[in-house]
Amino acid sequence: MTTAPTSPSDPEPRWLTAGEQLVWRSYLEAATLLEDHLDRQLQRDAGMPHMYYGLLVKLGESPRRRLRMTELARSAKITRSRLSHAVARLEKNGWVRREDCPSDKRGQFAVLTDEGFAVLERTAPGHVSAVRQAVFERLTPEQQESLGEIMRIVAEGLQPAGAGADLPWLR
């Protein structure tokens, strides 16, 4: 539904303009299609969804290929429950293992195994090619810069710094 914006005191919602609606729906369509494209590529090449690949990448880039589970959830922007399920599946494949945290009896580390690192090394070229083909080869350098700036602004606005923020990794 599109109508002219209303004032903040008006009880009616401030509906999106026709132009805003077009931008919003274009974003949703592109995001859905891109996630599906990358999921299919990674399922075909490595038998894993895009989210699992992202976890392996984060671990692979971390010192000693390990992160606290809470930090991994935060960097992946997912709930701790979803992370726990994903890590259990990655453990089953032998790609990740959990280790207890010596300084915090309740804490755990997720550690990328040598086998997981090998899968990451094998899978990365195809994934980078899929990302490049789907996004970067379609945009000019200026558009790439604008897209990055826009997405950073949106992400920053969705991650309030105050206590009590309702963020996935805090749930």
Side-chain angles (χ1 to χ4, degrees), residues 155-167 169-170:
E156 286 170 6
L158 293 170
Q159 298 178 87
D166 185 20
L167 298 167
W169 56 94
L170 298 176

Side-chain angles (χ1 to χ4, degrees), residues 13 28 31 39 54 66 109-110 125-127 129 133 137-138 145 154:
L28 288 176
D39 258 343
R66 61 191 279 152
F109 287 97
H127 180 67
S129 179
Q133 176 269 326
E137 290 177 1
R138 299 178 181 278
E145 189 174 320
V154 171

Side-chain angles (χ1 to χ4, degrees), residues 5 17 38 40 44 54 65 79 98 101 106 133 139 153:
T17 66
L38 297 176
R40 285 184 295 114
R44 181 184 62 245
R65 300 190 316 212
T79 64
R98 293 182 212 222
C101 178
R106 295 185 323 162
Q133 176 269 326
L139 302 175
I153 290 167

Side-chain angles (χ1 to χ4, degrees), residues 8 70 74 79 82 88 112 115 122 130 133 136 141 154:
T70 52
R74 187 203 60 74
T79 64
R82 187 170 184 201
L112 183 64
E115 185 179 347
R122 225 177 16 256
Q133 176 269 326
F136 294 99
V154 171

Side-chain angles (χ1 to χ4, degrees), residues 1-149:
M1 174 175 256
T2 58
T3 62
T6 59
S7 72
S9 61
D10 193 329
E12 276 294 310
R14 189 169 164 231
W15 299 109
L16 298 178
T17 66
E20 290 168 336
Q21 189 70 260
L22 181 63
V23 168
W24 176 242
R25 290 184 181 181
S26 294
Y27 164 77
L28 288 176
E29 187 174 303
T32 301
L33 289 169
L34 181 59
E35 188 62 27
D36 179 70
H37 176 72
L38 297 176
D39 258 343
R40 285 184 295 114
Q41 177 267 318
L42 287 163
Q43 285 289 357
R44 181 184 62 245
D45 293 356
M48 77 175 98
H50 188 221
M51 187 189 75
Y52 290 15
Y53 176 82
L55 295 173
L56 296 182
V57 168
K58 288 178 189 316
L59 290 171
E61 293 173 342
S62 300
R64 297 175 48 208
R65 300 190 316 212
R66 61 191 279 152
L67 278 174
R68 292 273 309 246
M69 291 284 283
T70 52
E71 178 58 24
L72 186 55
R74 187 203 60 74
S75 68
K77 312 292 187 240
I78 60 175
T79 64
R80 291 177 288 194
S81 172
R82 187 170 184 201
L83 175 65
S84 184
H85 176 75
V87 168
R89 296 286 307 270
L90 293 168
E91 280 180 303
K92 194 173 180 181
N93 290 343
W95 300 344
V96 170
R97 73 175 181 275
R98 293 182 212 222
E99 292 179 356
D100 291 332
C101 178
S103 64
D104 177 3
K105 293 196 187 296
R106 295 185 323 162
Q108 285 191 319
F109 287 97
V111 181
L112 183 64
T113 64
D114 290 342
E115 185 179 347
F117 190 73
V119 167
L120 190 55
E121 285 186 313
R122 225 177 16 256
T123 307
H127 180 67
V128 169
S129 179
V131 169
R132 183 169 295 291
Q133 176 269 326
V135 179
F136 294 99
E137 290 177 1
R138 299 178 181 278
L139 302 175
T140 65
E142 294 79 18
Q143 289 171 322
Q144 292 172 26
E145 189 174 320
S146 293
L147 179 62
E149 182 180 348

